[in-house]
Amino acid sequence: MLGCRRLLSFYRVKTRPQAISALVNEPRDFVAMSPPTKTSRGPKTSLKVLMLHGYTQSGPLFHSKTRALHKALTKALPTYSVHLSYPTGPIHLNPSDFPNYNGPSATEAEGDAEPAYGWWRRKDVPHSSKHGESAIVYTGLQEGFARIADTITQEGPFDGVIGFSQGACAAAMVASLLEPGRRDTFASSAPEKDEPAPEPFPASFISLNQPPLKFALIYSGFIAPGTRHVNFYTPCLKTPTLHFLAALDGVVEEGRSQGLIDVCKGPKVVTHPGGHFLPSQRPWLDAAVGFIKECLEQVTTSDGTEQDGGTKGKEENVEDMDLPF
């Protein structure tokens, strides 16, 4: 198995998104997990990552599904003390809230179901659009942001964010909200005629002691649709992003994931052959770890230009890459 050193050559491509396919498959307000690490010379640098679970999950459940990723990060970054924080979304869900639910009534199923949560609920609201379409509203979104802001205050500041499914959508929005000038974008925008009012800038994020994130990992993510959420993506996200797409994803349509990729500056894209889950096999762990290592090692000069060993802008053919997958 080749190591992360060769894998990094893939991530130095700075042109267009690259897609790679291979044959390779609760709760408290938040839970922070940090496994013990072997002692090394000198103090370790803290690496804090915000972990946002998917719809119908929870913080503890997401922790159990990302143990392999946590272990891989700890092993690959021996000079860092890796600390992952797992908040639980504030929206308590009934079994009837699950996609394609055809079981008993919510009352009958409640006793047997595992606790399930979300960061918001999607609601289609009719409005007088010139196209005659319904507006998509994320009810509870501000409450979700408030929960995340509480975690940042108590556990942060964070270096990066990792999200799955709805949590990946939320991760991109959080990265956007923390970028310079985003609040001004929200303040200066106005709804077009016959269009719903844009989502306001979260009050919970106004006074946060949190700098822009260094990276965002997006697993089965998607763009928040409609003009109501446009300020999260205009101008495009500048936070470095790595997007994991599932070739057999039966929950998130590829077009929705591509919509999010298209509003990110210089995104990296990896496609795994499985379904709607966070892949834990070695190649995909190496991809995640290699990307994070690159983001942490990135050198920024005083004039704001990036230095990446002279490979910026160099295009590589996927077939020519020597990768472990």
Side-chain angles (χ1 to χ4, degrees):
M1 180 66 69
L2 299 178
C4 290
R5 181 172 300 177
R6 290 186 178 180
L7 180 65
L8 285 178
S9 63
F10 164 64
Y11 294 109
R12 300 197 188 281
V13 181
K14 301 293 184 179
T15 54
R16 62 177 183 271
Q18 301 288 349
I20 298 179
S21 297
L23 299 175
V24 183
N25 172 346
E26 234 177 56
R28 294 164 287 183
D29 282 355
F30 65 87
V31 53
M33 304 290 182
S34 187
T37 57
K38 295 181 180 180
T39 57
S40 60
R41 295 181 180 180
K44 294 188 176 184
T45 302
S46 176
L47 174 63
K48 295 185 177 183
V49 184
L50 179 65
M51 308 290 291
L52 302 180
H53 64 79
Y55 190 71
T56 75
Q57 294 184 344
S58 67
L61 179 60
F62 193 42
H63 169 256
S64 70
K65 293 179 178 295
T66 55
R67 291 182 187 274
L69 177 59
H70 195 177
K71 182 178 179 180
L73 284 171
T74 302
K75 182 178 181 180
L77 301 170
T79 61
Y80 286 86
S81 176
V82 181
H83 181 93
L84 309 185
S85 292
Y86 293 82
T88 291
I91 310 298
H92 182 262
L93 303 173
N94 297 315
S96 56
D97 293 315
F98 292 19
N100 303 318
Y101 178 76
N102 293 314
S105 66
T107 303
E108 294 173 336
E110 181 70 24
D112 299 327
E114 292 291 331
Y117 296 82
W119 300 104
W120 61 79
R121 282 188 174 93
R122 170 175 167 150
K123 184 178 181 181
D124 294 339
V125 179
H127 73 289
S128 57
S129 169
K130 58 184 177 181
H131 303 293
E133 300 172 349
S134 296
I136 297 175
V137 177
Y138 286 167
T139 62
L141 180 59
Q142 295 295 324
E143 186 178 356
F145 284 139
R147 176 63 55 82
I148 293 171
D150 286 343
T151 305
I152 293 175
T153 299
Q154 297 179 47
E155 292 290 304
F158 290 98
D159 297 283
V161 61
I162 297 176
F164 170 70
S165 195
Q166 190 188 71
C169 177
M173 289 194 285
V174 168
S176 170
L177 291 171
L178 295 173
E179 291 182 352
R182 187 65 62 176
R183 186 180 175 188
D184 294 336
T185 298
F186 276 76
S188 61
S189 68
E192 297 182 8
K193 184 178 180 180
D194 297 328
E195 293 293 340
E199 188 75 33
F201 189 90
S204 56
F205 271 64
I206 292 177
S207 300
L208 275 184
N209 181 25
Q210 170 65 56
L213 298 173
K214 300 173 184 176
F215 60 85
L217 269 63
I218 310 296
Y219 288 87
S220 296
F222 54 88
I223 190 170
T227 57
R228 183 171 175 81
H229 307 107
V230 69
N231 289 329
F232 291 101
Y233 312 114
T234 305
C236 66
L237 277 72
K238 297 180 176 60
T239 303
T241 57
L242 172 60
H243 303 254
F244 285 85
L245 306 183
L248 301 179
D249 198 325
V251 178
V252 178
E253 297 177 357
E254 182 179 355
R256 299 178 68 196
S257 295
Q258 187 62 49
L260 180 57
I261 293 170
D262 290 342
V263 295
C264 296
K265 182 179 180 180
K268 306 296 186 296
V269 182
V270 173
T271 300
H272 69 86
H276 192 70
F277 58 81
L278 193 147
S280 59
Q281 291 87 359
R282 178 64 183 272
W284 318 118
L285 295 178
D286 287 348
V289 171
F291 177 75
I292 292 175
K293 287 181 67 176
E294 182 191 64
C295 292
L296 296 176
E297 295 168 358
Q298 189 72 57
V299 177
T300 304
T301 62
S302 58
D303 62 357
T305 59
E306 295 179 349
Q307 295 181 342
D308 54 12
T311 62
K312 185 173 182 179
K314 180 181 179 181
E315 183 175 352
E316 297 183 46
N317 192 300
V318 173
E319 287 75 14
D320 296 334
M321 295 180 186
D322 189 9
L323 301 175
F325 51 95

